[in-house]
Amino acid sequence: MQLAVVVGAGGMGAAVARTLAADYRILLVDIDEQRAAAVADELREGGGCVDTAQCDITSPDNVAALVERIGRQGGVRVLAHVAGLSPTMGDFDTIIRVNLTGAALMSDALLPHAVPGAAAILISSLGAHVCGFDDGVLSVLRDRASSEDLPDELRGLVGAERADSNMAYQLSKFGLLMLARRRAKDWGTRGGRIVSLSPGLIATPMGAKEFANNPAKRRLFDLSPQKREGTMDEIADVVAFLASDKASFLSGTDILVDGGLSGALSDVPFDAMRKAAR
């Protein structure tokens, strides 16, 4: 079986690993070794071929050591980069580094090990579709995603008073859209593809915390055409499709899976829409 690297062993990552385990052997990567091990044990009970690795994806040294290990196992067919923090789970710097820099480091480091037909799927967010940034910010997001100084550079551009966790979330998730576009040519040279996937309101443990601590989530739910949250399995099914040969001509683009919420938000004034999506 070919190798699928799933980064993030939380609720969404576990769902993605469970779905991909039907067709791939899984390497489940997380900063929390015990969490990854618990998910791996569950998947093995279901017949999956699963290994685990502990890694701080914001550390170039950690990522390099992980990729060296992966390189000894042969090529990578799938990268599903799910790891990320919501606005209530970190400060500006931490969210930028985990959500964007970590994804850039991991996807770039794994690229030399991508086999023909490989696919990298970066989990972004509906929040990336309801924000607007000036050319200076866009330039930094485009060209400096893997830089250790990225949080400081972005803070200098957006201003210290706006550099909160909500702004970091939108910047980081928009940066993932740009990363997929920017790296499509590189992945193409390996015969592979890279895309971003933007979930809307999804019922996850992290999402439940956001509902409890972020009133904007309730406002978004009230606007949702489907009048429900999506499920983690629905997102995992889209990841599996994007990883498959059925999506062989999809690269350098974003797949929005939000139950029509972005369409509903198009009728909301931009400032109010951006506030609601935080």
Side-chain angles (χ1 to χ4, degrees):
M1 299 177 77
Q2 293 182 300
L3 178 65
V5 178
V6 179
V7 182
M12 182 79 77
V16 168
R18 186 180 305 111
T19 298
L20 293 179
D23 298 303
Y24 305 93
R25 56 189 175 93
I26 305 296
L27 178 61
L28 186 59
V29 179
D30 200 278
I31 195 170
D32 186 335
E33 191 172 12
Q34 291 184 335
R35 177 167 64 177
V39 173
D41 287 343
E42 174 196 337
L43 297 183
R44 292 188 194 108
E45 289 177 3
C49 178
V50 187
D51 200 358
T52 64
Q54 191 277 337
C55 182
D56 176 359
I57 59 173
T58 69
S59 164
D61 289 342
N62 267 218
V63 171
L66 173 66
V67 171
E68 181 180 358
R69 169 185 167 183
I70 292 171
R72 295 194 296 268
Q73 300 181 31
V76 175
R77 175 59 175 77
V78 179
L79 166 63
H81 197 284
V82 189
L85 299 176
S86 62
T88 62
M89 298 184 68
D91 58 19
F92 183 87
D93 288 32
T94 302
I95 290 174
I96 292 292
R97 289 195 174 105
V98 171
N99 291 8
L100 180 53
T101 303
L105 290 172
M106 186 65 68
S107 59
D108 287 352
L110 282 178
L111 177 59
H113 302 281
V115 301
I121 301 107
L122 313 177
I123 301 299
S124 181
S125 169
L126 168 65
H129 293 261
V130 293
C131 54
F133 303 112
D134 63 31
D135 289 344
V137 171
L138 295 178
S139 177
V140 169
L141 289 175
R142 182 182 64 242
D143 299 329
R144 304 278 291 163
S146 58
S147 169
E148 182 180 350
D149 299 324
L150 181 62
D152 289 336
E153 293 182 43
L154 290 171
R155 182 184 292 102
L157 290 167
V158 303
E161 69 283 354
R162 297 178 63 207
D164 59 12
S165 60
N166 287 313
M167 175 60 73
Y169 185 80
Q170 291 188 339
L171 285 165
S172 64
K173 294 301 186 178
F174 191 83
L176 290 176
L177 271 62
M178 299 187 73
L179 183 63
R181 285 182 173 272
R182 185 75 164 170
R183 298 293 193 266
K185 180 178 179 181
D186 297 330
W187 280 78
T189 63
R190 300 285 304 182
R193 302 175 290 110
I194 182 170
V195 296
S196 56
L197 189 164
S198 292
L201 298 180
I202 307 298
T204 67
M206 187 184 299
K209 292 179 181 179
E210 286 299 307
F211 266 114
N213 299 305
N214 190 343
K217 290 294 181 181
R218 177 56 57 180
R219 295 196 294 271
L220 282 176
F221 184 85
D222 292 340
L223 291 169
S224 176
Q226 298 295 313
K227 302 305 178 187
R228 70 173 179 89
E229 293 179 286
T231 69
M232 293 184 289
D233 286 341
E234 286 174 314
I235 298 301
D237 285 343
V238 179
V239 171
F241 164 72
L242 292 172
S244 75
D245 290 339
K246 294 180 180 179
S248 59
F249 206 54
L250 282 174
S251 191
T253 191
D254 182 76
I255 307 301
L256 181 61
V257 186
D258 71 342
L261 181 53
S262 60
L265 288 174
S266 66
D267 294 328
V268 179
F270 182 75
D271 288 344
M273 175 176 65
R274 186 165 55 182
K275 181 179 179 180
R278 287 181 175 178

